[in-house]
mmCIF file of all heavy atoms in Angstrom:
data_model
loop_
_atom_site.group_PDB
_atom_site.id
_atom_site.type_symbol
_atom_site.label_atom_id
_atom_site.label_comp_id
_atom_site.label_asym_id
_atom_site.label_seq_id
_atom_site.Cartn_x
_atom_site.Cartn_y
_atom_site.Cartn_z
ATOM 1 N N GLY A 50 -4.469 3.200 -4.239
ATOM 2 C CA GLY A 50 -5.835 3.626 -4.308
ATOM 3 C C GLY A 50 -6.811 2.557 -3.798
ATOM 4 O O GLY A 50 -6.446 1.385 -3.652
ATOM 5 N N ALA A 51 -7.994 2.969 -3.576
ATOM 6 C CA ALA A 51 -9.019 2.024 -3.029
ATOM 7 C C ALA A 51 -9.314 0.809 -3.890
ATOM 8 O O ALA A 51 -9.678 -0.218 -3.411
ATOM 9 C CB ALA A 51 -10.288 2.789 -2.806
ATOM 10 N N ASP A 52 -9.036 0.943 -5.220
ATOM 11 C CA ASP A 52 -9.312 -0.177 -6.111
ATOM 12 C C ASP A 52 -8.571 -1.401 -5.770
ATOM 13 O O ASP A 52 -8.975 -2.549 -6.093
ATOM 14 C CB ASP A 52 -9.009 0.201 -7.595
ATOM 15 C CG ASP A 52 -9.916 1.281 -8.110
ATOM 16 O OD1 ASP A 52 -10.983 1.464 -7.490
ATOM 17 O OD2 ASP A 52 -9.583 1.915 -9.100
ATOM 18 N N PHE A 53 -7.354 -1.340 -5.173
ATOM 19 C CA PHE A 53 -6.547 -2.457 -4.942
ATOM 20 C C PHE A 53 -6.399 -2.851 -3.464
ATOM 21 O O PHE A 53 -5.688 -3.782 -3.152
ATOM 22 C CB PHE A 53 -5.131 -2.227 -5.545
ATOM 23 C CG PHE A 53 -5.133 -2.283 -7.019
ATOM 24 C CD1 PHE A 53 -4.889 -1.146 -7.759
ATOM 25 C CD2 PHE A 53 -5.391 -3.462 -7.711
ATOM 26 C CE1 PHE A 53 -4.911 -1.191 -9.132
ATOM 27 C CE2 PHE A 53 -5.359 -3.491 -9.058
ATOM 28 C CZ PHE A 53 -5.141 -2.364 -9.800
ATOM 29 N N ARG A 54 -7.046 -2.142 -2.594
ATOM 30 C CA ARG A 54 -6.922 -2.509 -1.172
ATOM 31 C C ARG A 54 -7.580 -3.860 -0.922
ATOM 32 O O ARG A 54 -8.683 -4.115 -1.262
ATOM 33 C CB ARG A 54 -7.616 -1.456 -0.317
ATOM 34 C CG ARG A 54 -6.853 -0.133 -0.336
ATOM 35 C CD ARG A 54 -7.324 0.785 0.742
ATOM 36 N NE ARG A 54 -6.877 2.099 0.513
ATOM 37 C CZ ARG A 54 -5.589 2.497 0.641
ATOM 38 N NH1 ARG A 54 -4.718 1.628 1.049
ATOM 39 N NH2 ARG A 54 -5.231 3.739 0.413
ATOM 40 N N GLY A 55 -6.747 -4.723 -0.317
ATOM 41 C CA GLY A 55 -7.236 -6.046 0.094
ATOM 42 C C GLY A 55 -7.386 -7.032 -1.060
ATOM 43 O O GLY A 55 -7.925 -8.084 -0.918
ATOM 44 N N VAL A 56 -6.998 -6.640 -2.272
ATOM 45 C CA VAL A 56 -7.200 -7.492 -3.452
ATOM 46 C C VAL A 56 -6.194 -8.652 -3.504
ATOM 47 O O VAL A 56 -6.616 -9.788 -3.765
ATOM 48 C CB VAL A 56 -7.124 -6.699 -4.767
ATOM 49 C CG1 VAL A 56 -7.042 -7.571 -5.986
ATOM 50 C CG2 VAL A 56 -8.271 -5.722 -4.849
ATOM 51 N N VAL A 57 -4.952 -8.376 -3.212
ATOM 52 C CA VAL A 57 -3.944 -9.427 -3.254
ATOM 53 C C VAL A 57 -3.658 -9.895 -1.846
ATOM 54 O O VAL A 57 -3.112 -9.195 -1.017
ATOM 55 C CB VAL A 57 -2.629 -8.937 -3.959
ATOM 56 C CG1 VAL A 57 -1.569 -10.018 -3.969
ATOM 57 C CG2 VAL A 57 -2.946 -8.434 -5.358
ATOM 58 N N PRO A 58 -3.928 -11.157 -1.536
ATOM 59 C CA PRO A 58 -3.654 -11.690 -0.210
ATOM 60 C C PRO A 58 -2.167 -11.637 0.075
ATOM 61 O O PRO A 58 -1.359 -11.907 -0.763
ATOM 62 C CB PRO A 58 -4.121 -13.153 -0.280
ATOM 63 C CG PRO A 58 -5.062 -13.219 -1.469
ATOM 64 C CD PRO A 58 -4.595 -12.163 -2.403
ATOM 65 N N GLY A 59 -1.882 -11.111 1.248
ATOM 66 C CA GLY A 59 -0.460 -11.012 1.669
ATOM 67 C C GLY A 59 0.175 -9.716 1.263
ATOM 68 O O GLY A 59 1.205 -9.370 1.796
ATOM 69 N N ALA A 60 -0.415 -8.945 0.316
ATOM 70 C CA ALA A 60 0.141 -7.602 -0.015
ATOM 71 C C ALA A 60 -0.281 -6.667 1.091
ATOM 72 O O ALA A 60 -1.458 -6.509 1.403
ATOM 73 C CB ALA A 60 -0.359 -7.163 -1.363
ATOM 74 N N ARG A 61 0.695 -5.999 1.670
ATOM 75 C CA ARG A 61 0.423 -5.124 2.754
ATOM 76 C C ARG A 61 0.063 -3.721 2.228
ATOM 77 O O ARG A 61 0.898 -3.155 1.511
ATOM 78 C CB ARG A 61 1.613 -5.003 3.770
ATOM 79 C CG ARG A 61 1.907 -6.399 4.380
ATOM 80 C CD ARG A 61 2.916 -6.341 5.525
ATOM 81 N NE ARG A 61 4.131 -5.599 5.243
ATOM 82 C CZ ARG A 61 5.022 -5.316 6.220
ATOM 83 N NH1 ARG A 61 4.819 -5.683 7.452
ATOM 84 N NH2 ARG A 61 6.092 -4.596 5.900
ATOM 85 N N THR A 62 -1.068 -3.232 2.532
ATOM 86 C CA THR A 62 -1.475 -1.905 2.042
ATOM 87 C C THR A 62 -1.839 -1.036 3.248
ATOM 88 O O THR A 62 -2.318 -1.504 4.257
ATOM 89 C CB THR A 62 -2.682 -2.029 1.141
ATOM 90 O OG1 THR A 62 -3.752 -2.706 1.759
ATOM 91 C CG2 THR A 62 -2.347 -2.651 -0.176
ATOM 92 N N LEU A 63 -1.440 0.211 3.129
ATOM 93 C CA LEU A 63 -1.699 1.186 4.181
ATOM 94 C C LEU A 63 -3.162 1.299 4.471
ATOM 95 O O LEU A 63 -4.004 1.218 3.574
ATOM 96 C CB LEU A 63 -1.142 2.563 3.723
ATOM 97 C CG LEU A 63 -1.033 3.676 4.748
ATOM 98 C CD1 LEU A 63 -0.062 3.261 5.858
ATOM 99 C CD2 LEU A 63 -0.593 4.931 4.105
#
Side-chain angles (χ1 to χ4, degrees):
D52 293 341
F53 288 112
R54 292 193 193 288
V56 169
V57 179
R61 299 191 312 171
T62 54
L63 193 60

